[in-house]
Amino acid sequence: MSARIIVRVQKESFDAAAEAAPLTQGRRDIGALVTFTGLCRDEGGTLAALEIEHYPGMAEEEITRVAREAAARWPLDGIVAIHRYGLIKPGEPIVLAITASKHRTEAFAAASFLMDYLKTEAPFWKKQHVAGQGPGDWIEAKEQDQAAARKWRG
Amino acid sequence: MRALYFAFLRERIGKAEEEIAPPENIKTVADLMGWLSGQGENYAAAFASRKTTRAALDRTHVKHDAVIGNAREIAFFPPMTGG
């Protein structure tokens, strides 16, 4: 079985339900669709926006590589992975990971794997814009994210 | 070869990309980071935390001991924080 893989890196926002539609349209054999949307938080009102920088070209390639790895590890019917760049305001979506499979266990695991690897392997960097102050510090990579990605290698 | 800098490395160096011509004895990614660090205070500041700096040769993640060889593009960046 080969999973349908859709990967996009874009400035524009997205609609999770609309992005999931191509995976299930006309299908009667899919039993599980996991949709994860990562949103920009306002951090208690202190954050005005996140500025996301990416490495054009490599970003698409890395997400595709990770999606293919997920498709090789689990029996998936489809994957959608979308990551935005540019200025993103609190409440707006940043990232979308959708997995479709016959059963939920595989769909959940693949979506989780996708996100753990996307956070640590895809070339994106976030800069905080502090409310009332403009551009601030770059967000530092978290050890807990690295650890989450490492656990899949075991 | 083309060198690309992202996030705080780009800001500290003051440019997103440039053409570089390192001397013959620069073989690995680590060698290149050392050589770039000597190209000015801005480069030294960018590569101050060299241990955690990540690199990609022709858009593929590599470790510091990777040989540059005939790569056309090298990118330097801090650990990724996407997602």
Side-chain angles (χ1 to χ4, degrees):
Chain A
M1 174 174 47
S2 67
R4 179 173 181 191
I5 296 174
I6 300 168
V7 170
R8 287 210 315 275
V9 173
Q10 63 187 42
K11 206 171 177 20
E12 303 74 31
S13 191
F14 53 77
D15 177 76
E19 300 295 346
L23 297 190
T24 54
Q25 235 156 27
R27 301 284 297 256
R28 300 163 67 106
D29 58 331
I30 293 170
L33 185 78
V34 166
T35 304
F36 171 82
T37 306
L39 303 162
C40 177
R41 289 185 303 260
D42 74 351
E43 305 291 5
T46 61
L47 188 89
L50 279 179
E51 188 181 334
I52 302 184
E53 180 168 326
H54 77 302
Y55 183 171
M58 185 176 172
E60 290 87 342
E61 285 173 14
E62 274 299 305
I63 298 174
T64 304
R65 185 184 63 75
V66 172
R68 284 191 183 135
E69 200 178 327
R73 289 176 75 131
W74 291 280
L76 303 174
D77 293 291
I79 297 174
V80 175
I82 298 174
H83 202 301
R84 293 178 66 198
Y85 63 89
L87 208 63
I88 296 175
K89 299 214 166 107
E92 287 184 34
I94 301 170
V95 65
L96 178 70
I98 305 177
T99 53
S101 187
K102 295 223 170 1
H103 306 288
R104 74 178 188 283
T105 309
E106 289 77 12
F108 272 123
S112 189
F113 168 89
L114 206 57
M115 283 309 304
D116 286 341
Y117 266 73
L118 214 143
K119 285 183 87 88
T120 54
E121 301 291 321
F124 291 88
W125 302 274
K126 290 194 190 109
K127 182 178 218 173
Q128 292 172 310
H129 283 233
V130 182
Q133 291 178 34
D137 295 330
W138 291 94
I139 290 177
E140 285 193 28
K142 295 185 189 76
E143 172 51 30
Q144 66 193 68
D145 290 334
Q146 304 293 330
R150 272 197 303 270
K151 76 175 188 279
W152 297 104
R153 290 189 203 128
Chain B
M1 73 189 304
R2 200 110 193 113
L4 273 59
Y5 313 111
F6 290 98
F8 76 73
L9 277 96
R10 171 179 55 74
E11 289 181 340
R12 285 184 188 173
I13 292 170
K15 54 185 134 185
E17 58 179 279
E18 65 182 327
E19 207 61 45
I20 55 168
E24 281 287 315
N25 63 326
I26 301 301
K27 305 284 186 202
T28 67
V29 170
D31 291 345
L32 187 55
M33 285 198 282
W35 178 74
L36 281 168
S37 297
Q39 301 302 301
E41 274 180 31
N42 51 334
Y43 289 91
F47 289 99
S49 48
R50 237 187 281 177
K51 263 190 184 165
T52 55
T53 300
R54 304 274 313 243
L57 279 174
D58 288 333
R59 297 179 178 176
T60 300
H61 290 298
V62 290
K63 294 195 168 144
H64 291 185
D65 60 1
V67 174
I68 297 162
N70 294 319
R72 283 170 299 170
E73 183 174 291
I74 187 161
F76 293 104
F77 41 79
M80 290 72 78
T81 54

